[in-house]
DNA sequence: TCGCTTTTAACGGAAAGTTTCACGCGCAAG
DNA sequence: CTTGCGCGTGAAACTTTCCGTTAAAAGCGA
């Protein structure tokens, strides 16, 4: 089960915004795209989806750009995945009546496993993990 | 993250072969396809992949067909998923150097969660779960 | 040899994913 | 109030994967 780059791009964007959340100002798409290695025009589309999911918000005009809609501690990995793809995990078997009941049960187990772990990871945690690692190199 | 019908078809096929494992004989593709609601010509391709992964084996000629290569207790859900798709879980971020280390860690957590739960489910368990449920209706 | 089955390769339409382009809109500073 | 900067939006072009079909080759048993 291979998922597309879109979710990776989205996660990078949210992580980067999380790392700059303290500073408060809005960040431009261009800066985000160049530092994260994402095609700028594609990133725009992703950010719009993230915005309609209330994960980020935007400011227009001069000094405009994007920033998180809420603190990184309140944004989970699952939130971002659900925004980009429909669900964190989905199989045709889950909605096909032809699929045997015992098999659907297995699919549900997988879905639940992904959901719980994805919901447990917040971007606050990721930022702290990155900061800790950076601190190690400071010694 | 939506996965294709292919894995569902493959799981149904293996489950069905598991349910007939005791009887010993080989089952034809045609029978499998019609009872499980799978396009026969597509099922052929899937079975060949399952065969090359040593999950099923085949017999040619009259009274030919497919049967499991080993007991259902030794076949996990993860085995079938890995056969059909490359891995049970894969994100571009896992292999892209551009992806921040802390993010890759999150991807790994998800991958590991899927792997462990998918490996924990055997087709023996699924068959028993189905049999138990059938027994309930016998009363 | 003949009929039954798997095996293999190739084909093609449909859908999704990825990227780029062009132009309209809103805010704020000058 | 105009102008410049950056977001907003839709659509086009392109690539890749998915899904299923077709047809011919080859093995096995009677």
């Amino acid at each position: 089960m291979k998922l597309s780059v879109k979710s990776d791009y989205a996660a990078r964007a949210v992580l980067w915004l999380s790392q700059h959340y303290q500073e408060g100002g809005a960040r431009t798409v261009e800066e985000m795209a160049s530092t994260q290695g994402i095609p700028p025009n594609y990133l725009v589309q992703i950010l719009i989806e993230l915005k309609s999911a209330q994960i980020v918000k935007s400011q227009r005009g001069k000094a405009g750009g994007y920033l998180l809609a809420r603190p990184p501690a309140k944004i989970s990995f699952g939130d971002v995945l659900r925004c980009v793809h429909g669900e964190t995990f989905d199989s045709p078997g889950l909605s096909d009546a032809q699929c045997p009941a015992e098999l659907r049960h297995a699919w549900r187990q997988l879905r639940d496993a992904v959901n719980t772990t994805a919901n447990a990871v917040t971007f606050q945690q990721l930022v702290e993990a990155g900061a800790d690692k950076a601190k190690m190199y400071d010694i």
Side-chain angles (χ1 to χ4, degrees), chain A:
Chain A
M1 159 184 26
K2 189 173 190 299
L3 46 91
S4 61
V5 287
K6 196 175 183 180
S7 48
D8 189 39
Y9 288 166
R12 283 192 217 178
V14 173
L15 174 61
W16 190 75
L17 288 176
S18 298
Q19 288 164 340
H20 294 88
Y21 179 70
Q22 309 271 15
E23 310 165 23
R27 303 275 154 173
T28 170
V29 172
E30 202 54 47
E31 189 185 0
M32 211 183 311
S34 61
T35 63
Q36 298 298 311
I38 305 175
N41 297 315
Y42 193 29
L43 181 55
V44 168
Q45 301 178 34
I46 296 172
L47 284 169
I48 289 177
E49 290 186 53
L50 287 169
K51 182 188 172 187
S52 70
Q54 318 272 352
I55 295 175
V56 305
K57 56 186 178 183
S58 65
Q59 280 176 12
R60 293 218 218 193
K62 190 135 186 172
Y66 283 91
L67 60 167
L68 291 187
R70 53 179 190 270
K74 300 244 179 173
I75 303 177
S76 76
F77 214 73
D79 293 334
V80 174
L81 286 185
R82 265 184 296 274
C83 168
V84 171
H85 311 117
E87 297 244 352
T88 54
F89 183 92
D90 193 24
S91 164
L94 285 168
S95 47
D96 185 355
Q98 293 247 45
C99 182
E102 52 264 46
L103 193 53
R104 266 211 299 278
H105 182 250
W107 286 127
R108 268 198 298 272
Q109 279 185 260
L110 244 61
R111 184 194 58 187
D112 294 348
V114 173
N115 264 325
T116 57
T117 60
N119 289 337
V121 177
T122 75
F123 280 85
Q124 173 78 38
Q125 295 168 17
L126 297 185
V127 170
E128 288 171 359
D132 288 353
K133 190 170 184 183
K135 200 181 293 179
M136 289 172 58
Y137 290 118
D138 277 353
I139 305 176

